[in-house]
Each structure stands twice: as structure tokens, then as C-alpha cells.
Amino acid sequence: MLIVQKFGGTSVGDLERIQNVASRVSQSKKDGNDVVVVVSAMSGETNKLVAYAEHFSKNPAQPEMDMLLSAGERVTASLLSIALQEMGHDATAMTGRKAGIITDKHHTKARIENINPKMMTDAVKSGKIVVVAGFQGVDENGDVTTLGRGGSDLSAVAIAGALGADLCEIYTDVSGIYTTDPRIEPKAKKLDKISYDEMLELASLGAKVLQNRSVEMAKKLNVNLVTRTSFSNEEGTLITKEENIMEAPLVSGIALDRNQARISLMGVKDRPGIASDIFNRLATEEVNVDMIIQNKAHDGATNIDFTVPVSDLYDAKAVVDAFVQNKEIDADSYNEEICKVSVVGVGMRSHTGVAAKAFSTMADNNININMISTSEIKISMVIDEKYAELAVRALHDAYELDK
Ligand code: ADP
Ligand code: ASP
Ligand code: MG
């Protein structure tokens, strides 16, 4: 078998853990597999590098940020390769460039456009263990790019797809995908299987156990994806096609996203095209708008509220302020003390009353719902951040996910 194994930050968090990863990889190789390893930076390392840059500038240049951030993964790839060599293996460490990962030019959130896997395949063919630095690629000019936070997951899935690997294993600090973050609800249950679509919703709605774009890519390329822990031999969770799951549960999980901010626009001039103007400007600035609510304020004006990731707030403010200056909006305000809780499950498609239960659960716990959005397989609610954990636990209980 050809296996791609990805080890996240905590799994390579110190030298002892890198040694542990080397033993695991070594065992897979001894079992007769071809192994390509993708590593993250040691846990905390990427944040440390970001903080270093912010020491000098509030808004550091993006190409420099990418050169800086990509360094963390190079450290672990080199160390793991050295550890494997010391154990008698023929191992080789590769940067994103050497692994042939070509991206667009979008520094700090680049998309993979193409992978030239020749260096990797040649090395694997000659019996080597390939250790790739995750989270990075190069654009057509040869400039280093990074794939967005959590992007090593995407590196692993894309490499598995390009190599036609039989399996892509994501090793992390929890033993699989749970019904909700086990750090918030200790009664959360590990799932044996989950569909790509549900996992994509959970990841997009805040369950950072997998980066959402990696799940999207796994679905597109039909990669067999397993999430498991590097700290024991416990079986993990298979992320697979919906057809492979015999009985779809009504609700699979609860996700929490604390990194949301709410923007309120008061007295927006009520004319055709105003919403289009505002949201097109936001789109041009790459601001990721999520929920939107519009209601009548007074004659000739409306109020519009919407949410954005906290990381986009700075850019969103600049856009909105320009409309205020042009007197198309009377006033604006911002609230970062909010969060989004979501209930996800493909079973919702064929059942009624799932949303009603979410709302009454909030009511029973005296939690005010500020915004709501739904799709076929999810219900999301914006609430005050101080109720985040209470809401997750209450919903987990209400849908009996611990059973
Ligand atoms: P890594 O460093 O290995 O990439 P991450 O910190 O990115 O690991 O992701 C693992 C974390 O995801 C877990 O420690 C857990 O707190 C969190 N998490 C959030 N939602 C879930 C979920 N539904 N199931 C499992 N883990 C979850
Ligand atoms: N080191 C990067 C981050 O912390 C990428 C990753 O770990 O997946 O976001
Ligand atoms: Mg991660």
C-alpha cells in the first residue's frame, strides 16, 4: 500500500514526540508499505512566528509572512528525516517546492493549482521514505506561499490525491472525529464514520480538527481519509462517501466557531443596488461574509447586519467606513463577543422538527439567538460568546449525542 501520513503540531510538539512519530512511520515502512509523510510545524511555532512579525508591523507584507511561516514546517520535516535515517531508513526531506506543489499567488491563503509529484514518486520508487514540509507551495514565479492556517491537512490530502495513495491518515491529538469538540463536552462520542459533506460542514463551521479545504479536496479526489491519534493505536474515524454509511444519523455533530464578528449597519439608504454595492466591495477585498439579516429601520432606510471571520474584520471595517463617509450608511458598529453554534446532520434532510428543537434548547437555557441560518444539513445560530460552551453542551444533550 502507498500511505500518506500527516502529523499535526501536537504530534511533533517536542523532540520526544518527533522520535515517537519516527517509530510509527518506521513501523508502517517495515510492514511493507510505501510511506510519504507530511508534517506540521511544532505546536505553537506558527503562532510564535506570527507574533515575531507583529512585533515589527501591524500589517506585515504577505510574501515575507509566507517565507517566515513556511520555515516552521521545514524544521520538523528535516528533524523527522534525520531521526528516520538514524533508525536505518533511507529518508529524504522535501520542501513544498521540491514536492512540486504549485499554488496561485494568494499569499497566506494560497490555493493548490497543480502538483508535479515526480520528485516524490522517484524517491518512493527507490525505496525512500519521503518527508514533506506541509502548509506550503510555490507560485508560478517561484515565490513561497502558504495554504491558510491548518493547511498541512490540505497538503496531505492533495499529495495523497496526486500520488493515487491508497490511504491518507491524519494523526492528531484526539482519536478521531467526535460528536463535538471533546475539550468542551467530555461526553462527546467518537464516530466510526462520517460523510464528506457532514465533515465539510463541521470543519467550515468551526471544528478545526480538519481544515475545511482539505475535506473539500478529499471529496473531490475521492481520497480515503482517516483521522486518528498519534499517541495510541486506537482506531480513528473514516471520512467517506455518504453511500458507505449504512444508517445516517439525524444529527452527527455540533460545531462551535468563536472567530466570528458581527457588523451592524444602521440607516442604510434604501435604494435598489445598495446591498450589491456593499457586498461586492467586501468580496473584492476578499472578506468572507457569512450570515446576513436585513430589516426596515425607518422610511427610506434599512438596517443590515452580517457576520465575518474576526481575521477579516479589519478589511471589512475599511469597506464599511467608506460608505458611512459617503453618507450611504448612517452609522456602523462591531461586536466580536459573539460565536456561532451549529447542528450538522444529513438526516435533517428527511426529518422535521430538528431546527425547532435547537431553538427550544436555547430558550430552555435562556440563551438569546441573534441570527439564524439553515441549509439542508445544518442549522447555525449566532449567540453571545459567553454562552458558547453552555450552548454546545445543551445541544449535545438535546439530540442525545452521548447515547
Ligand atoms: P493538529 O495540530 O494535529 O492539526 P488541531 O488542533 O488542528 O490538531 O485539531 C485537533 C483539535 O480539534 C482537537 O484537539 C479538538 O480540540 C478539536 N476539535 C474540534 N472539534 C472536534 C471534533 N468534532 N472532533 C474532534 N476534535 C475536535
Ligand atoms: N503550522 C500551520 C498552522 O499552525 C499549518 C498546520 O499546522 O496545519 O496553521
Ligand atoms: Mg490542524
Coordinates of all heavy atoms in Angstrom, one line a residue, residues 315-381:
D315 N -10.4 44.5 7.3 CA -10.7 44.9 5.9 C -12.1 45.3 5.8 O -12.5 46.2 5.0 CB -10.4 43.7 5.0 CG -8.9 43.4 4.9 OD1 -8.1 44.3 5.1 OD2 -8.5 42.2 4.6
A316 N -13.0 44.6 6.5 CA -14.5 44.9 6.4 C -14.8 46.3 6.9 O -15.5 47.0 6.3 CB -15.3 43.8 7.2
K317 N -14.1 46.6 8.0 CA -14.3 48.0 8.6 C -14.0 49.1 7.5 O -14.7 50.1 7.4 CB -13.4 48.2 9.8 CG -14.0 47.7 11.1 CD -13.1 48.0 12.2 CE -13.6 47.5 13.5 NZ -12.6 47.4 14.6
A318 N -12.8 48.8 6.8 CA -12.4 49.8 5.9 C -13.4 50.0 4.8 O -13.8 51.2 4.4 CB -11.1 49.4 5.2
V319 N -14.0 48.9 4.3 CA -15.1 49.0 3.3 C -16.3 49.8 3.8 O -16.8 50.7 3.2 CB -15.5 47.6 2.8 CG1 -16.7 47.6 1.9 CG2 -14.3 46.9 2.1
V320 N -16.8 49.4 5.0 CA -18.0 49.9 5.5 C -17.8 51.4 5.8 O -18.7 52.2 5.5 CB -18.4 49.1 6.8 CG1 -19.5 49.9 7.5 CG2 -18.9 47.7 6.4
D321 N -16.7 51.8 6.4 CA -16.4 53.2 6.7 C -16.5 54.1 5.5 O -17.0 55.2 5.6 CB -15.0 53.3 7.4 CG -15.0 52.8 8.8 OD1 -16.1 52.5 9.3 OD2 -13.9 52.6 9.4
A322 N -16.1 53.6 4.4 CA -16.2 54.4 3.1 C -17.7 54.7 2.8 O -18.0 55.8 2.4 CB -15.5 53.7 2.0
F323 N -18.6 53.8 3.0 CA -20.0 54.0 2.8 C -20.5 55.0 3.8 O -21.4 55.8 3.5 CB -20.8 52.7 2.8 CG -20.7 51.8 1.6 CD1 -19.6 50.9 1.5 CD2 -21.6 52.0 0.5 CE1 -19.5 50.1 0.3 CE2 -21.4 51.2 -0.6 CZ -20.4 50.3 -0.7
V324 N -20.0 55.0 5.0 CA -20.5 55.9 6.0 C -20.1 57.3 5.6 O -20.8 58.3 5.7 CB -20.0 55.5 7.4 CG1 -20.3 56.6 8.5 CG2 -20.5 54.2 7.9
Q325 N -18.8 57.4 5.2 CA -18.3 58.7 4.8 C -19.1 59.3 3.6 O -19.3 60.5 3.6 CB -16.8 58.6 4.3 CG -16.0 58.0 5.4 CD -14.8 58.8 5.7 OE1 -13.9 59.0 4.9 NE2 -14.8 59.4 6.9
N326 N -19.5 58.4 2.7 CA -20.3 58.9 1.5 C -21.8 59.1 1.9 O -22.6 59.3 1.0 CB -20.2 57.9 0.4 CG -18.9 57.9 -0.2 OD1 -18.1 58.8 -0.1 ND2 -18.5 56.8 -0.9
K327 N -22.1 59.0 3.2 CA -23.5 59.2 3.7 C -24.5 58.2 3.1 O -25.7 58.5 3.0 CB -23.9 60.6 3.5 CG -23.0 61.7 4.0 CD -23.7 62.9 4.6 CE -22.8 63.9 5.2 NZ -21.7 63.5 6.0
E328 N -24.0 57.0 2.7 CA -25.0 56.0 2.2 C -25.4 55.1 3.4 O -26.4 54.4 3.3 CB -24.3 55.1 1.2 CG -24.0 55.9 -0.1 CD -24.6 55.3 -1.3 OE1 -25.8 55.6 -1.6 OE2 -23.9 54.5 -2.0
I329 N -24.6 55.2 4.5 CA -25.0 54.5 5.8 C -24.9 55.5 6.9 O -23.9 56.3 6.9 CB -24.0 53.3 6.0 CG1 -24.1 52.3 4.9 CG2 -24.3 52.7 7.4 CD1 -23.1 51.1 5.0
D330 N -25.8 55.5 7.8 CA -25.8 56.5 8.9 C -24.7 56.2 9.9 O -23.9 57.0 10.4 CB -27.1 56.5 9.7 CG -28.2 57.2 8.9 OD1 -27.9 57.9 7.9 OD2 -29.4 57.0 9.2
A331 N -24.7 54.9 10.3 CA -23.7 54.5 11.4 C -23.4 53.0 11.3 O -24.2 52.3 10.8 CB -24.3 54.8 12.8
D332 N -22.3 52.6 11.9 CA -21.9 51.2 11.9 C -21.4 50.8 13.3 O -20.9 51.7 14.1 CB -20.9 50.9 10.8 CG -19.7 51.8 10.9 OD1 -19.6 52.6 11.8 OD2 -18.8 51.6 10.0
S333 N -21.6 49.6 13.7 CA -21.0 49.1 14.9 C -20.5 47.7 14.8 O -20.9 47.0 13.8 CB -22.0 49.2 16.1 OG -23.0 48.3 15.9
Y334 N -19.6 47.3 15.7 CA -19.0 45.9 15.6 C -19.1 45.2 16.9 O -19.0 45.8 18.0 CB -17.5 46.2 15.2 CG -17.3 47.0 14.0 CD1 -17.3 48.4 14.1 CD2 -17.3 46.4 12.7 CE1 -17.2 49.2 12.9 CE2 -17.2 47.2 11.6 CZ -17.2 48.5 11.7 OH -17.1 49.3 10.5
N335 N -19.2 43.9 16.8 CA -19.3 43.1 18.1 C -18.5 41.8 17.8 O -18.8 41.0 17.0 CB -20.8 42.8 18.4 CG -20.9 42.0 19.7 OD1 -19.9 41.7 20.3 ND2 -22.1 41.7 20.1
E336 N -17.4 41.7 18.6 CA -16.6 40.5 18.5 C -17.0 39.5 19.6 O -16.5 38.4 19.6 CB -15.1 40.8 18.6 CG -14.5 41.6 17.4 CD -13.0 41.8 17.5 OE1 -12.3 40.8 17.7 OE2 -12.6 43.0 17.5
E337 N -17.8 39.9 20.5 CA -18.2 39.0 21.6 C -19.3 38.0 21.2 O -20.3 37.9 22.0 CB -18.6 39.8 22.8 CG -17.6 40.9 23.2 CD -16.3 40.3 23.7 OE1 -16.3 39.6 24.7 OE2 -15.3 40.6 23.1
I338 N -19.3 37.5 20.0 CA -20.3 36.6 19.6 C -19.7 35.3 19.2 O -18.4 35.2 19.0 CB -21.1 37.1 18.4 CG1 -20.2 37.4 17.2 CG2 -21.9 38.4 18.8 CD1 -20.8 37.3 15.9
C339 N -20.5 34.2 19.0 CA -20.0 33.0 18.4 C -21.1 32.3 17.6 O -22.2 32.8 17.7 CB -19.5 32.1 19.5 SG -20.8 31.5 20.6
K340 N -20.7 31.3 16.9 CA -21.7 30.6 16.1 C -21.8 29.1 16.5 O -20.7 28.5 16.5 CB -21.4 30.8 14.6 CG -22.4 30.2 13.7 CD -22.1 30.6 12.2 CE -20.8 30.0 11.7 NZ -20.5 30.5 10.3
V341 N -22.9 28.7 16.9 CA -23.0 27.2 17.2 C -23.9 26.6 16.1 O -24.9 27.2 15.6 CB -23.7 26.9 18.5 CG1 -22.8 27.0 19.7 CG2 -24.9 27.8 18.8
S342 N -23.5 25.4 15.7 CA -24.2 24.8 14.5 C -24.5 23.3 14.8 O -23.7 22.6 15.5 CB -23.4 24.9 13.3 OG -23.0 26.2 13.0
V343 N -25.6 22.9 14.3 CA -26.0 21.5 14.4 C -25.9 20.9 13.0 O -26.5 21.5 12.1 CB -27.5 21.4 14.9 CG1 -27.9 19.9 15.0 CG2 -27.6 22.1 16.3
V344 N -25.2 19.8 12.8 CA -25.0 19.3 11.5 C -25.5 17.8 11.4 O -25.2 17.0 12.3 CB -23.5 19.3 11.1 CG1 -23.2 18.6 9.8 CG2 -23.0 20.8 11.1
G345 N -26.1 17.5 10.3 CA -26.5 16.1 10.1 C -27.3 15.9 8.8 O -28.2 16.6 8.5
V346 N -26.8 14.9 8.0 CA -27.5 14.6 6.7 C -29.0 14.1 7.0 O -29.8 14.3 6.1 CB -26.8 13.6 5.8 CG1 -25.6 14.3 5.2 CG2 -26.4 12.4 6.5
G347 N -29.2 13.5 8.1 CA -30.6 13.0 8.4 C -31.6 14.1 8.5 O -32.8 13.9 8.4
M348 N -31.2 15.4 8.6 CA -32.1 16.5 8.7 C -32.9 16.6 7.4 O -34.0 17.2 7.4 CB -31.3 17.8 8.8 CG -30.9 18.1 10.2 SD -30.1 19.8 10.1 CE -28.9 19.5 11.3
R349 N -32.3 16.2 6.3 CA -33.0 16.3 5.0 C -34.4 15.7 5.0 O -35.3 16.2 4.4 CB -32.2 15.6 3.9 CG -30.9 16.3 3.5 CD -30.5 15.7 2.1 NE -29.1 16.1 1.9 CZ -28.1 15.3 1.9 NH1 -28.3 14.0 2.1 NH2 -26.9 15.7 1.7
S350 N -34.5 14.6 5.8 CA -35.7 13.8 5.7 C -36.5 13.9 7.0 O -37.5 13.1 7.2 CB -35.4 12.4 5.3 OG -34.4 11.9 6.1
H351 N -36.1 14.8 7.9 CA -36.9 14.9 9.2 C -37.3 16.3 9.5 O -36.6 17.2 9.1 CB -36.0 14.4 10.4 CG -35.9 12.9 10.4 ND1 -35.0 12.2 9.6 CD2 -36.5 12.0 11.2 CE1 -35.1 10.9 9.9 NE2 -36.0 10.7 10.8
T352 N -38.4 16.4 10.1 CA -38.9 17.8 10.5 C -38.6 17.9 12.0 O -38.4 17.0 12.7 CB -40.4 17.9 10.3 OG1 -41.1 16.9 10.9 CG2 -40.7 17.9 8.8
G353 N -38.6 19.2 12.4 CA -38.6 19.5 13.9 C -37.1 19.6 14.4 O -36.9 19.8 15.6
V354 N -36.1 19.4 13.5 CA -34.7 19.4 14.0 C -34.4 20.9 14.4 O -33.8 21.1 15.5 CB -33.8 18.9 13.0 CG1 -32.3 18.9 13.5 CG2 -34.1 17.5 12.5
A355 N -34.8 21.8 13.6 CA -34.5 23.2 13.9 C -35.3 23.7 15.1 O -34.7 24.3 16.0 CB -34.8 24.1 12.7
A356 N -36.5 23.3 15.2 CA -37.4 23.7 16.3 C -36.7 23.2 17.6 O -36.7 24.0 18.6 CB -38.8 23.1 16.2
K357 N -36.2 22.0 17.6 CA -35.5 21.5 18.8 C -34.3 22.4 19.2 O -34.1 22.7 20.4 CB -35.1 20.1 18.7 CG -34.4 19.5 19.9 CD -34.1 18.0 19.8 CE -35.2 17.2 20.4 NZ -35.0 15.8 20.3
A358 N -33.5 22.8 18.2 CA -32.4 23.7 18.5 C -32.8 25.0 19.2 O -32.3 25.4 20.2 CB -31.6 24.0 17.2
F359 N -33.9 25.6 18.6 CA -34.4 26.9 19.2 C -34.9 26.7 20.6 O -34.7 27.5 21.5 CB -35.5 27.5 18.3 CG -35.0 27.6 16.8 CD1 -35.9 27.6 15.8 CD2 -33.7 27.8 16.5 CE1 -35.5 27.7 14.4 CE2 -33.2 28.0 15.2 CZ -34.1 27.9 14.2
S360 N -35.7 25.6 20.8 CA -36.3 25.4 22.2 C -35.2 25.1 23.2 O -35.2 25.5 24.3 CB -37.4 24.4 22.2 OG -37.0 23.2 21.6
T361 N -34.1 24.5 22.7 CA -33.0 24.2 23.6 C -32.3 25.5 24.1 O -32.0 25.7 25.3 CB -31.9 23.3 22.9 OG1 -32.5 22.1 22.5 CG2 -30.8 23.0 23.9
M362 N -32.2 26.4 23.1 CA -31.7 27.8 23.5 C -32.6 28.5 24.5 O -32.2 29.0 25.5 CB -31.5 28.6 22.3 CG -30.4 28.2 21.3 SD -28.7 28.1 21.9 CE -28.6 26.3 22.1
A363 N -33.9 28.4 24.2 CA -34.9 29.0 25.0 C -34.8 28.4 26.5 O -34.8 29.2 27.5 CB -36.3 28.8 24.5
D364 N -34.8 27.1 26.6 CA -34.7 26.5 27.9 C -33.6 26.9 28.7 O -33.6 26.9 29.9 CB -34.7 24.9 27.7 CG -36.0 24.4 27.1 OD1 -37.0 25.1 27.1 OD2 -35.9 23.2 26.7
N365 N -32.5 27.3 28.0 CA -31.3 27.7 28.7 C -31.1 29.2 28.8 O -30.1 29.7 29.1 CB -30.0 27.1 28.1 CG -29.9 25.6 28.4 OD1 -29.4 25.2 29.4 ND2 -30.5 24.8 27.5
N366 N -32.2 29.9 28.4 CA -32.2 31.4 28.5 C -31.1 32.0 27.6 O -30.5 33.0 28.0 CB -32.0 31.8 29.9 CG -33.3 32.4 30.5 OD1 -34.0 33.1 29.8 ND2 -33.6 32.0 31.7
I367 N -30.9 31.4 26.5 CA -29.8 32.0 25.6 C -30.6 32.7 24.4 O -31.4 32.0 23.7 CB -28.9 30.9 25.0 CG1 -28.2 30.1 26.2 CG2 -27.9 31.4 24.1 CD1 -27.4 28.9 25.8
N368 N -30.2 33.9 24.2 CA -30.9 34.7 23.2 C -30.2 34.4 21.8 O -29.0 34.4 21.7 CB -30.8 36.2 23.5 CG -31.8 37.0 22.7 OD1 -32.8 36.5 22.3 ND2 -31.4 38.2 22.3
I369 N -31.0 34.1 20.8 CA -30.5 33.8 19.5 C -30.5 35.2 18.7 O -31.5 35.8 18.6 CB -31.3 32.8 18.7 CG1 -31.5 31.5 19.5 CG2 -30.7 32.5 17.4 CD1 -32.5 30.5 18.9
N370 N -29.3 35.6 18.2 CA -29.2 36.8 17.5 C -29.4 36.7 16.0 O -30.0 37.6 15.3 CB -27.8 37.5 17.7 CG -27.5 37.8 19.1 OD1 -28.5 38.3 19.8 ND2 -26.3 37.6 19.6
M371 N -29.0 35.6 15.4 CA -29.1 35.4 14.0 C -29.2 33.9 13.8 O -28.7 33.1 14.5 CB -27.8 35.8 13.2 CG -27.6 37.3 13.2 SD -26.0 37.7 12.6 CE -26.4 38.8 11.3
I372 N -29.9 33.5 12.7 CA -30.1 32.1 12.3 C -29.8 31.9 10.9 O -30.2 32.8 10.0 CB -31.6 31.7 12.6 CG1 -31.9 31.8 14.1 CG2 -31.8 30.2 12.1 CD1 -33.4 31.7 14.3
S373 N -29.2 30.8 10.5 CA -29.2 30.4 9.1 C -29.3 28.9 9.0 O -28.8 28.2 9.9 CB -28.0 31.0 8.4 OG -26.8 30.2 8.6
T374 N -29.9 28.4 7.9 CA -30.0 27.0 7.8 C -29.7 26.5 6.4 O -29.7 27.4 5.5 CB -31.5 26.5 8.1 OG1 -32.3 27.1 7.1 CG2 -31.9 26.9 9.4
S375 N -29.3 25.3 6.2 CA -29.2 24.7 4.9 C -29.8 23.3 5.1 O -30.3 23.0 6.1 CB -27.7 24.6 4.5 OG -27.1 23.5 5.1
E376 N -29.8 22.5 4.0 CA -30.3 21.2 4.0 C -29.8 20.3 5.2 O -30.5 19.6 5.8 CB -29.8 20.4 2.8 CG -30.7 20.4 1.6 CD -30.3 19.3 0.7 OE1 -29.1 19.2 0.4 OE2 -31.2 18.5 0.3
I377 N -28.5 20.5 5.5 CA -27.9 19.6 6.5 C -27.3 20.4 7.7 O -26.5 19.8 8.5 CB -26.8 18.7 5.9 CG1 -25.6 19.4 5.4 CG2 -27.4 17.8 4.8 CD1 -24.4 18.5 5.1
K378 N -27.7 21.6 7.9 CA -27.2 22.3 9.1 C -28.1 23.4 9.6 O -28.9 24.0 8.8 CB -25.8 22.9 8.9 CG -25.8 24.1 7.9 CD -25.1 25.3 8.6 CE -25.5 26.6 8.0 NZ -24.8 27.1 6.9
I379 N -28.0 23.7 10.9 CA -28.7 24.9 11.5 C -27.6 25.7 12.2 O -26.9 25.1 13.1 CB -29.8 24.4 12.5 CG1 -30.8 23.5 11.8 CG2 -30.4 25.7 13.1 CD1 -31.3 22.5 12.8
S380 N -27.4 26.9 11.9 CA -26.4 27.7 12.7 C -27.1 28.9 13.4 O -28.1 29.5 12.9 CB -25.4 28.4 11.7 OG -24.6 27.4 11.1
M381 N -26.6 29.2 14.6 CA -27.2 30.3 15.4 C -26.1 31.1 15.9 O -25.1 30.6 16.4 CB -28.0 29.7 16.6 CG -29.2 28.9 16.1 SD -30.0 28.0 17.5 CE -28.8 26.7 17.8

